[in-house]
Amino acid sequence: MSVQVDPAFISQITAAEKLITGTDEPVQGGPTAKAQQHVGQNLTSQVIHDITEGEKLITGTDEPFKDGPTALAQSALTNSRITNNNNNNNNNNNSNSSGKFDSETLSKISEAEKKLTGEPQPVKGGPTAQAQSHAKEPITSQALHDITEGEKMVTGGERVKGGPTSTAQSELGKSRS
């Protein structure tokens, strides 16, 4: 089972790039841009090399950033090889996170919103509403963007540590581990 450089993979790279830059916008020539050049291809050592070059552009160092784009791509490639080698048909993954907007993930996002607003009901157009509009879909960069926009609406323009967007990103991260 090879890993495809697809929109889901690109969104993971983008999220990892954000860890370094602290900004929502991918850097021109950075890891996201490098990964996008390989959309539709299988993840290979050459693709990882290109992502690493993009990461170096941001960090200015040869050392990959912990949990950054290079580390994420290397992990994805390694995990796909392990899965191939095990070749087990165990689909009963006991991880509680699906990487989708399931009821558990939506509930966690709603809880995070309640902490922000102090209100028992989600705000119209807020992060919970945005997440619900993607119910049962995979957690993608577009969905995360929508939640962020809803979160900014509730907070007056800020993303909050431990807030709804962070909660969704965390659920996506857990689904990969």
Side-chain angles (χ1 to χ4, degrees):
M1 189 182 120
S2 57
V3 175
Q4 278 272 303
V5 179
D6 60 8
F9 179 79
I10 300 283
S11 72
Q12 293 171 10
I13 296 295
T14 304
E17 183 175 329
K18 277 189 209 176
L19 287 174
I20 300 171
T21 63
T23 173
D24 286 346
E25 292 301 314
V27 174
Q28 188 171 356
T32 300
K34 295 291 188 185
Q36 286 171 331
Q37 293 172 351
H38 296 283
V39 167
Q41 300 174 18
N42 286 334
L43 182 61
T44 62
S45 56
Q46 181 58 52
V47 175
I48 291 173
H49 171 77
D50 291 351
I51 291 169
T52 303
E53 290 302 309
E55 186 172 329
K56 282 182 193 174
L57 182 84
I58 297 173
T59 63
T61 174
D62 288 345
E63 285 297 309
F65 193 81
K66 183 181 184 330
D67 297 329
T70 299
L72 189 133
Q74 287 171 333
S75 172
L77 188 60
T78 302
N79 289 341
S80 75
R81 289 182 178 148
I82 291 169
T83 304
N84 282 347
N85 294 345
N86 290 347
N87 211 358
N88 60 5
N89 294 326
N90 180 7
N91 289 333
N92 298 334
N93 185 350
N94 290 334
S95 166
N96 289 337
S97 186
S98 63
K100 286 186 168 31
F101 287 107
D102 57 13
S103 58
E104 186 177 336
T105 299
L106 291 170
S107 172
K108 288 178 180 177
I109 291 168
S110 178
E111 284 303 310
E113 181 177 337
K114 282 181 196 173
K115 285 180 191 163
L116 286 180
T117 63
E119 298 292 323
Q121 295 301 316
V123 174
K124 185 176 182 182
T128 301
Q130 295 291 348
Q132 286 171 335
S133 74
H134 294 283
K136 295 189 173 87
E137 294 176 15
I139 299 174
T140 63
S141 58
Q142 181 57 53
L144 289 171
H145 172 77
D146 292 349
I147 293 168
T148 301
E149 291 306 306
E151 184 173 334
K152 286 178 180 175
M153 190 185 98
V154 170
T155 62
E158 297 293 312
R159 260 193 67 191
V160 178
K161 185 175 180 170
T165 303
S166 299
T167 301
Q169 287 173 323
S170 171
E171 290 303 300
L172 180 59
K174 285 182 198 168
S175 73
R176 294 191 204 117
S177 57

